[in-house]
């Protein structure tokens, strides 16, 4: 511990404060904030630190009954006050029961802050208005300072309104999400909340240069090296080393003493210059190119390099013919049949509210224990074993609760390596948690894109040819796969599809919910829409005519009959300041699964305990498993317990690629069937029919320790293509989405407001209805963010990320959310065990394109760049 930190501790004076009804005398450092006092000193970890700037509301507590953001409140200001945290509500407030009943949460990291604000609002509302129902606008105004990255806002609206009417003053039925009350009461423990005895905090020292060779790192004796073998950093923010201290302040002070001697090298930071012949090359050698990280979840395909441009990677179908037809139409001036355009999109940051975090410790047997915020505990354990030269069974990974991921937490990342190395160095547990600035700099993002498209129809209005060239902007990463996905939409017309990477000295991109899907829909669906307008044809009718997928055709039929669609104004027909427009867009996604998934069931004290090495980052995996088992055995909810988020049990899937539910649900059902059989002939004789749970409960009482393992059965008629992609298999059939979106455009201020969204989802039978609805609503909300707000901004001279906080990087808040109506088409996957597949990705893909098409319908001007900022819209409308 450094001297400054010791002096601060000596200077810490005790103060009197009442916490959750109990008088306490606590010490606090002079410059500490209330959130650190509550979390670190008092151990009340339901209060979460996310932004540190009063933007997100996750750290909200009540001070003398008034909601306050604890990250901006000095700890000293709590002297003599009464503080209530989410733990102090004890799960008894009507708001907490309402949040559980209406599934007003997903990952749960923001939930305690919402609950505290909502509880104060509900109490105030009922005192002033009685048991009446507030409007959405009134609820939005009350919760305006809170953010939910998962997008659980629709459930929050419903929960707060219901609580105001007194609907949840008494105990409710079991909630649809099995871990709901843990998250709503602050009992759920995330990686950032784990605080064992002797814990040290770690800090990562990061590069201040976009490109440099590190000659030496000095100034602190005990630091771990995080540099690659060539000692070269290739972006601002790249990890160089890590240090630890007895407190976070001590670790930060040690990091400040670290001196890095750089040999600064020429850098390519500006995307516009990266393709020029004289631009510094990011990866000059073949070996360096092999080490480039990937922004895709799949296996990278080989491609040629030309300086900083990698590609093309091609997914053609009669590509030469497609190019020939388009060139002929261009030469002949076919403006009606040939639509050509360039569309661009800025990078979109994941910015999960729980940042990347890891706590590591080594035991006396040389085993490594990791508590980590991850979407893939099994893969992280496997990679950690490789990294540290251990046997697979020597790494024990835990991710009991995960505060979001969206694709950014699928592998062994720098904070995990740093925590493990520091823990080994200090022979003590070490925790490394990224700050919000680090998260927004080096925590992952969806690559930006520049897409050049040409689409040709024949005289009969059929799709005749398509060419699409997409250049991905993923910093030091490669693997852009946008154009390739156009191979699977709108039949089999000739098409030339080419993907390129433009590599720069900027932080690497990582997979983001439906990699490549939203950028593809942005360019393809607007082009299809423009084609329909030029032909004078209804945009839904044209899509239905081109699209041979029976599941999406069913969605088109429903969408075409919506009053929102049939009553829409003609495109570009309106005048005045505020103009309404309605747009449509479609998308599809592959059916992924992990065929090795297993679920083990053990009878423990009369309860069925389910285990598998998967994790739940808010998508509802616990509920999927619990519901499948309870339904098969006819058991009440309290007789099934799901224990996931740990390795050391049977194989479970990663949470990515919409593979989780469709992998674990059949395995859980199979395990339940095996347990019924294992309970013996008494069950067969006394309860031959499924669902007679009373007898099962009696037999469980006499079956202590009984264990069975279920696996995912093979789908009927053969379930996979011969393609294995990143450890998973591609199943037969595509999911589908058709989104219809209404916007209001303020032509004076340039503001676009989404007012209504109808989302049609075709993913077969819905396994967990409440979770599926929340997932799809959240997907719509992230799509709105992509369309209107989210833009990762990098300084084109230095490579410094300028949008490294939640004020400059804007994600949708509750007031930005339209009314969302989700329609599930549950046919088309009868060949899949359980009849349904994943829907988390496809639900977000067409949203931004539908917003763009709606803006065009409202104004007659078509946006070509995401996000559709006010300045861009006003410039487009300028005569």
């Amino acid at each position: 511990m450094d001297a400054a930190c010791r002096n601060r501790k000596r200077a810490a004076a005790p103060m009197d404060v009442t916490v959750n009804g109990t008088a306490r005398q606590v010490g606090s450092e002079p410059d500490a904030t209330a959130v650190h006092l509550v979390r670190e000193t008092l151990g009340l970890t339901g209060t979460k630190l996310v932004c540190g700037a009063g933007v997100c509301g996750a750290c909200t507590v009540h001070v003398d009954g008034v909601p306050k953001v604890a990250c901006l409140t000095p700890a000293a200001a709590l002297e003599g006050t009464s503080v209530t945290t989410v733990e102090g509500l004890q799960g008894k407030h009507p708001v907490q029961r309402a949040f559980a009943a209406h599934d007003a949460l997903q990952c749960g990291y923001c939930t305690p802050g919402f609950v505290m604000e909502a509880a104060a609002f509900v109490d105030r509302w009922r005192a002033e208005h009685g048991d009446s129902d507030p409007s959405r606008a009134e609820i939005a105004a009350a919760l305006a300072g809170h953010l939910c990255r998962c997008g659980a806002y629709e459930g929050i609206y419903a929960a707060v309104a219901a609580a105001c009417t007194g609907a949840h003053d008494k105990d409710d039925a079991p909630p649809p999400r099995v871990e709901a009350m843990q998250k709503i009461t602050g009992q759920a423990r995330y990686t950032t909340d784990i605080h064992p005895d002797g814990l040290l905090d770690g800090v990562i020292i990061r590069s201040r240069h976009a490109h440099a060779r590190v000659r030496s790192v000095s100034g602190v004796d005990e630091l771990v090296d995080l540099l690659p073998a060539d000692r070269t950093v290739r972006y601002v923010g790249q990890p160089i080393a890590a240090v630890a201290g007895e407190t976070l302040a001590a670790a930060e002070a040690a990091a400040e003493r670290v001196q890095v001697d750089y040999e600064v090298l020429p850098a390519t930071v500006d995307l516009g210059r990266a393709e020029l012949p004289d631009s510094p090359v990011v990866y000059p050698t073949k070996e360096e190119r092999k080490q480039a990280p990937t922004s895709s979840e799949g296996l990278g395909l080989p491609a040629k390099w030309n300086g900083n441009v990698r590609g093309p990677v091609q997914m053609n179908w009669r590509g030469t013919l497609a190019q020939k037809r388009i060139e002929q139409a261009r030469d002949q001036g076919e403006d009606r049949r040939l639509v050509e355009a360039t569309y661009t999109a800025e990078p979109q940051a994941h910015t999960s509210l729980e940042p990347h975090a890891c706590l590591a410790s080594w035991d006396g047997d040389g085993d490594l224990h990791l508590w980590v915020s991850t979407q893939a505990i099994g893969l992280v354990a496997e990679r950690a074993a490789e990294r540290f030269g251990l046997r697979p069974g020597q790494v024990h990974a835990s991710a009991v609760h995960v505060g979001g991921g969206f694709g950014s937490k699928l592998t062994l990342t720098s904070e995990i390596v740093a925590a493990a190395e520091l823990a080994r160095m200090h022979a003590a547990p070490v925790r490394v948690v990224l700050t919000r600035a680090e998260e927004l700099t080096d925590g992952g993002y969806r690559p930006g894109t520049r897409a050049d498209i040409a689409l040709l129809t024949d005289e009969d209005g059929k799709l005749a040819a398509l060419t699409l060239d997409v250049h991905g902007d993923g910093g030091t990463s490669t693997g852009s796969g946008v154009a390739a996905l156009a191979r699977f939409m709108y039949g089999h017309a000739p098409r030339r599809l080419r993907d390129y990477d433009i590599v720069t000295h900027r932080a690497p991109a990582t997979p983001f919910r439906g990699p490549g899907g939203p950028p593809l829909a942005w360019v393809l669906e607007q082009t299809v829409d423009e084609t329909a307008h030029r032909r004078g044809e209804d945009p839904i009718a044209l899509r239905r005519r081109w699209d041979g997928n029976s599941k999406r055709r069913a969605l088109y039929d429903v969408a075409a009959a919506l009053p929102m669609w049939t009553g829409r104004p003609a495109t570009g027909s309106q005048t005045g300041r505020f103009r309404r427009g309605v747009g449509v867009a479609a998308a599809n996604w592959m059916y992924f699964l992990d065929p090795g998934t297993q679920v083990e069931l053990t009878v423990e004290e009369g309860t069925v305990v389910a285990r598998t090495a998967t994790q739940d980052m808010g998508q509802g995996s616990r509920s999927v498993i619990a519901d499948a088992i309870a339904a098969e055995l006819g058991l009440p909810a309290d007789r099934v317990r799901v224990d996931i988020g740990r390795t050391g049990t049977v194989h479970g899937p990663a949470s990515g690629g919409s593979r989780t539910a469709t992998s674990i649900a059949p395995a859980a059902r199979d395990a339940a069937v095996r347990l019924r059989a294992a309970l013996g002939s008494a069950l067969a004789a006394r309860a031959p029919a499924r669902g007679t749970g009373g007898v099962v409960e009696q037999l469980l009482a006499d079956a202590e320790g009984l264990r069975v393992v279920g696996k995912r059965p093979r789908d009927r008629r053969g379930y996979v293509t011969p393609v294995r992609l990143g450890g998973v298999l591609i199943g037969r059939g595509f999911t589908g989405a058709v989104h219809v979106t209404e916007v209001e455009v303020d032509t004076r201020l340039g503001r676009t407001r989404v007012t209504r969204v109808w989302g049609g989802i075709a993913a077969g039978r819905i396994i967990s209805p409440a979770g599926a609805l929340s997932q799809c609503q959240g997907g719509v909300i992230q799509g709105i963010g992509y369309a209107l707000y989210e833009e990762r901004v990098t300084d084109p001279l230095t490579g410094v990320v300028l949008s490294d906080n939640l004020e400059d990087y804007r994600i949708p808040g509750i007031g930005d959310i339209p009314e969302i109506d989700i329609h599930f088409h549950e046919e088309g996957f009868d060949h899949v065990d359980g009849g349904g597949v994943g829907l988390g990705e496809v639900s977000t893909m067409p949203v931004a394109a539908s917003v763009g098409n709606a803006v065009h319908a409202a104004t007659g001007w078509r946006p070509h760049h995401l996000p559709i900022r006010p300045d861009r819209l006003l410039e487009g409308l300028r005569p």
Side-chain angles (χ1 to χ4, degrees), residues 35-36 38-39 44-52 56-61 69-71 85-87 107-113 116 182-183 185-194 353-355 401 403:
V35 69
H36 288 97
V38 168
R39 287 179 57 82
L44 298 170
T45 56
T47 303
K48 298 292 187 278
L49 176 61
V50 173
C51 69
C56 72
C59 64
T60 298
V61 298
V69 284
C71 68
T85 69
V86 70
E87 291 90 345
C107 82
Y109 207 73
C110 69
T111 303
M116 296 305 291
Q182 286 182 287
K183 292 177 175 178
T185 59
Q187 296 174 10
R189 303 274 282 177
Y190 299 78
T191 298
T192 53
D193 301 330
I194 310 298
L353 292 195
E354 182 189 25
H401 293 286

Side-chain angles (χ1 to χ4, degrees), residues 293-298 348-350 375 405-411 443-447 477-478 508-516 656-657 659 841:
T294 180
S295 62
S296 172
E297 288 183 6
Q348 179 186 24
H350 301 72
Q375 300 172 233
F406 315 112
S408 68
K409 299 176 179 177
L410 282 166
T411 188
Y445 60 93
R446 188 191 302 282
S477 68
T478 64
T510 51
F512 195 149
R513 198 171 189 171
R659 81 191 77 164
E841 259 98 349

Side-chain angles (χ1 to χ4, degrees), residues 208-405:
R208 298 180 179 179
H209 299 281
H211 190 203
R213 187 169 294 108
V214 177
R215 296 191 185 99
S216 64
V217 183
S218 59
V220 175
D221 292 334
E222 294 180 319
L223 59 78
V224 299
D225 192 324
L226 299 176
L227 285 165
D230 63 4
R231 316 296 293 171
T232 300
V233 291
R234 292 181 172 84
Y235 61 92
V236 174
Q238 181 171 336
I240 292 175
V243 295
E246 293 185 16
T247 65
L248 181 59
E252 290 171 341
E256 287 294 323
R257 296 197 302 272
V258 173
Q259 299 174 4
V260 182
D261 183 15
Y262 297 96
E263 177 191 350
V264 179
L265 302 172
T268 298
V269 176
D270 181 42
L271 189 67
R273 295 187 55 82
E275 298 175 82
L276 300 179
D278 60 345
S279 182
V281 178
V282 178
Y283 298 115
T285 69
K286 184 176 181 180
E287 191 59 34
E288 288 174 303
R289 293 167 184 168
K290 287 182 180 179
Q291 302 304 315
T294 180
S295 62
S296 172
E297 288 183 6
L299 300 176
L301 298 176
K304 294 181 179 179
W305 287 75
N306 181 14
N308 290 317
V309 179
R310 178 183 180 273
V313 174
Q314 304 192 57
M315 183 69 76
N316 297 331
W317 171 253
R318 303 169 71 190
T320 301
L321 177 59
Q323 180 65 23
K324 180 180 178 181
R325 287 179 175 178
I326 285 173
E327 288 177 350
Q328 288 177 345
R330 188 181 294 135
D331 292 341
Q332 295 168 6
E334 292 281 2
D335 292 338
R336 180 171 174 270
R337 294 197 301 116
L338 177 63
V339 178
E340 295 185 274
T342 297
Y343 291 91
T344 56
E346 295 295 333
Q348 179 186 24
H350 301 72
T351 192
S352 308
L353 292 195
E354 182 189 25
H356 285 70
C358 179
L359 187 155
S361 69
W362 298 80
D363 64 24
D365 296 325
D367 286 10
L368 174 61
H369 298 262
L370 299 172
W371 292 263
V372 59
S373 182
T374 182
Q375 300 172 233
I377 53 170
L379 181 60
V380 163
E382 180 183 323
R383 295 287 184 265
E386 295 172 0
R387 172 68 173 73
F388 298 105
L390 303 173
R391 298 187 307 276
Q394 288 184 278
V395 179
H396 312 274
S398 297
V400 178
H401 293 286
V402 181

Side-chain angles (χ1 to χ4, degrees), residues 475-547:
T476 60
S477 68
T478 64
S480 175
V482 176
L485 297 178
R487 176 68 181 83
F488 309 113
M489 284 290 289
Y490 300 123
H492 300 285
R495 57 197 72 196
R496 190 201 67 194
L497 309 171
R498 303 189 297 194
D499 279 299
Y500 299 83
D501 295 296
I502 305 177
V503 181
T504 59
H505 287 106
R506 295 190 289 177
T510 51
F512 195 149
R513 198 171 189 171
L520 171 70
W522 170 243
V523 55
L524 179 61
E525 288 301 296
Q526 287 211 99
T527 306
V528 172
D529 198 70
E530 181 64 25
T531 300
H533 283 293
R534 292 192 188 183
R535 290 185 48 79
E537 189 170 353
D538 182 287
I540 290 180
L542 181 139
R543 286 174 171 84
R544 192 185 188 286
R545 188 160 52 80
W546 285 4
D547 195 339

